[in-house]
Amino acid sequence: MNETSGGTFVGMPAFPEAARAAVGDATLRANLRHATHTIRDKRARAVAELDDWAELRQAGKEIKDRTLRHLDEHLVRLEEAVTAAGGTVHWAADADEANRIVTALVRATGETEVVKVKSMATQEIGLNEHLEAEGIAAYETDLAELIVQLGDDRPSHILVPAIHRNRGEIRDIFREKMGRWGRPAPEGLSDTPADLAEAARLHLREKFLRARVGISGANFMVAETGTLVVVESEGNGRMCLTLPETLISVVGVEKVVPTWRDLEVFLQTLPRSSTAERMNPYTSMWTGTSDGDGPSAFHLVLLDNGRTDALADEVGRQALRCIRCSACLNVCPVYERASGHAYGSVYPGPIGAILTPQLRGTVSEIDASLPYASSLCGACYEVCPVAIDIPEVLVHLRERVAAEGGKGHRLERAAIKASSWVLDHPTALATGERIASATRALHPKRLPGPGARQWSEHRNLPELPAEPFRDWWKKNRR
Ligand code: SF4
């Protein structure tokens, strides 16, 4: 599923409605709770090992901010370096243009199959679906992405896209679907992690050895040398980046860092924040092409797709610092209950709630509802390795939705206007308080009206005192 085509993410209902099914699914909630709590505890231990974590976090924030301020210059420098090293750079203003470029590049090779490294950018533009429509099969090779693809499912987590699946479900997907895409699952496949991993390894190895075109994203691009960097844990990325003859990388423009010194900061903060590792098992770096070593053709597709719009927003632009570690998802009480699918985008959780409405605008129902998919507890900000103040951006986007007259928020504006009037008129306030206290036995336990009823479904309304405070004060303190 992708971000733009019919029946997909954009057509989804608003967040509260989409989250309802997940909240009522006990198995899903148990899977999510177990997984997010395990990862968050491991992350906390890995981060606590470093005495200079706060300094690294600040350095990451400043490097990203500085780079974003001069993004145009760094991208031109990157293009020059990639070109000088034998690569070709393509610029894509939006998803359609990026898909067209990649399709044409694959077509030019004469191939009808590609292997893919896990990539958020290609999911964002719906590349797999586009290629499929053009008669090109795209095979995901990351284990979790493979589970999602075989299960005809959608990712629900940035780092662990199949976090909503347990081992039994994965075994069933492998048994049923692997044969349709290539080598079938071994007879009598069990649900032990070793057996599942072996089944995936055998299935994927055939594809690695056959593929002539690889497609990737990148975690970072170093402008000074034109080097791209992919960090991963399984080694599938290394296979896709080195075995095919042609490599096409689709990367968001905000992934550029000026120098190797800058990269060094993120190679410390990203693994600890994402997989709770001191460094990633596989850190692949490549610069253009090299004779007799790796792909002989390299294409870099630089993707905007709403990023420069986000850059123009002084508050919202901090979302572009994101290094996709997913730490904010693992600590978010809303994500833990609502699951990733409810966010209607490949970017779920707190970062999705601020990034998606900026990349796509707040026009659709789902995107306008995302800034409200938070309790503003601030746990996401605490763990973010580049110090994105997600609550600040959420409130900022809520203002934007309200200013645009978002559906459902007219009521909120009317309520705030009425409250302002009452608070500006002390006599009316005192009269209202007395009436409310005198009639308190008659008050409903739930509020009436569509929005208010839902709000009070899960909350206890406060008990009103028998007399207002100002009357009590007059009697007892004067
Ligand atoms: S917003 Fe921060 S914590 Fe969340 S994925 Fe991005 S970098 Fe990680």
Side-chain angles (χ1 to χ4, degrees):
M1 293 247 183
N2 68 62
E3 299 271 310
T4 51
S5 62
T8 58
F9 286 179
V10 167
M12 282 184 65
F15 180 86
E17 208 181 313
R20 193 178 299 278
V23 171
D25 184 336
T27 310
L28 176 63
R29 286 184 59 173
N31 291 352
L32 270 177
R33 184 178 163 74
H34 174 72
T36 54
H37 281 246
T38 305
I39 307 173
R40 81 161 77 155
D41 293 347
K42 281 168 69 182
R43 175 212 157 267
R45 285 196 293 275
V47 165
E49 284 180 357
L50 291 183
D51 294 336
D52 60 348
W53 179 258
E55 287 82 1
L56 281 169
R57 184 178 188 243
Q58 184 62 21
K61 170 183 185 290
E62 287 176 14
I63 291 167
K64 283 283 182 179
D65 280 347
R66 208 174 58 232
T67 309
L68 289 169
R69 269 200 300 277
H70 303 286
L71 188 61
D72 51 345
E73 292 167 24
H74 296 302
L75 288 173
V76 169
R77 196 170 168 207
L78 174 80
E79 181 183 31
E80 286 165 1
V82 170
T83 309
T88 308
V89 177
H90 310 257
W91 298 80
D94 56 24
D96 284 346
E97 190 172 6
N99 284 329
R100 277 200 305 275
I101 292 170
V102 177
T103 307
L105 291 171
V106 178
R107 281 247 173 82
T109 66
E111 294 297 315
T112 53
E113 285 183 353
V114 300
V115 284
K116 282 190 70 208
V117 188
K118 180 178 180 310
S119 144
M120 301 303 296
T122 59
Q123 287 177 19
E124 178 190 318
I125 61 174
L127 179 65
N128 288 10
E129 293 75 12
H130 187 87
L131 289 175
E132 190 185 345
E134 299 289 327
I136 298 165
Y139 298 120
E140 294 290 348
T141 62
D142 170 86
L143 177 55
E145 289 292 353
L146 175 71
I147 295 164
V148 168
Q149 186 172 48
L150 291 177
D152 198 20
D153 200 352
R154 282 183 282 116
S156 65
H157 191 279
I158 291 176
L159 184 71
V160 201
I163 197 169
H164 55 291
R165 297 288 195 189
N166 61 30
R167 285 192 276 142
E169 290 174 306
I170 295 167
R171 177 204 52 210
D172 295 344
I173 290 171
F174 279 10
R175 279 184 185 165
E176 266 180 50
K177 303 282 180 66
M178 264 186 173
R180 285 189 221 164
W181 288 76
R183 183 179 175 130
E187 279 292 310
L189 177 68
S190 80
D191 68 354
T192 61
D195 278 2
L196 295 174
E198 182 62 9
R201 194 175 288 123
L202 293 170
H203 179 81
L204 290 172
R205 192 153 295 248
E206 282 185 353
K207 297 188 166 27
F208 290 133
L209 295 176
R210 206 169 60 211
R212 291 176 183 259
V213 180
I215 295 182
S216 81
N219 294 95
F220 306 99
M221 304 182 286
V222 185
E224 66 178 346
T225 53
T227 304
L228 271 73
V229 184
V230 162
V231 296
E232 42 126 6
S233 302
E234 296 169 17
N236 65 298
R238 180 70 57 85
M239 300 279 231
C240 294
L241 297 168
T242 52
L243 291 178
E245 289 159 12
T246 300
L247 175 60
I248 304 166
S249 301
V250 182
V251 190
V253 288
E254 82 283 16
K255 294 293 179 70
V256 67
V257 293
T259 66
W260 284 81
R261 270 186 85 99
D262 300 321
L263 176 68
E264 179 238 3
V265 171
F266 301 111
L267 290 185
Q268 293 179 74
T269 52
L270 177 56
R272 286 177 196 265
S273 299
S274 55
T275 48
E277 289 164 309
R278 291 174 185 147
M279 67 180 288
N280 288 89
Y282 297 88
T283 301
S284 300
M285 300 175 180
W286 69 101
T287 308
T289 56
S290 308
D291 284 343
D293 182 13
S296 52
F298 169 57
H299 297 272
L300 170 60
V301 182
L302 289 172
L303 177 71
D304 183 335
N305 205 31
R307 285 160 175 78
T308 47
D309 291 339
L311 192 58
D313 185 318
E314 280 182 21
V315 179
R317 69 171 62 139
Q318 56 186 305
L320 298 177
R321 281 189 221 134
C322 177
I323 54 173
R324 312 278 190 266
C325 71
S326 76
C328 57
L329 278 65
N330 300 327
V331 296
C332 177
V334 175
Y335 174 85
E336 184 185 319
R337 285 158 184 83
S339 168
H341 291 159
Y343 292 81
S345 154
V346 295
Y347 302 111
I351 181 59
I354 61 167
L355 190 60
T356 308
Q358 295 199 79
L359 295 183
R360 299 196 302 212
T362 47
V363 181
S364 74
E365 199 182 1
I366 176 76
D367 293 338
S369 70
L370 286 177
Y372 296 85
S374 168
S375 63
L376 302 181
C377 71
C380 47
Y381 172 57
E382 293 297 319
V383 297
C384 178
V386 282
I388 299 173
D389 193 340
I390 294 177
E392 182 191 25
V393 184
L394 285 167
V395 172
H396 172 69
L397 291 173
R398 287 179 190 187
E399 282 168 14
R400 188 197 288 181
V401 173
E404 286 169 0
K407 192 179 160 222
H409 304 299
R410 266 181 237 122
L411 270 180
E412 194 179 329
R413 282 210 304 277
I416 290 170
K417 217 168 159 188
S419 309
S420 307
W421 186 87
V422 172
L423 292 170
D424 277 347
H425 296 79
T427 315
L429 178 63
T431 309
E433 285 170 350
R434 280 190 200 111
I435 294 171
S437 287
T439 57
R440 68 192 190 121
L442 305 172
H443 292 181
K445 293 290 172 219
R446 287 201 190 149
L447 294 174
R453 190 170 54 240
Q454 284 160 354
W455 188 87
S456 56
E457 239 169 42
H458 306 288
R459 295 170 176 85
N460 295 327
L461 293 180
E463 293 270 328
L464 280 178
E467 65 179 336
F469 175 75
R470 70 178 73 214
D471 292 350
W472 177 91
W473 181 264
K474 266 189 210 156
K475 263 194 256 160
N476 295 288
R477 289 288 185 270
R478 278 202 179 160

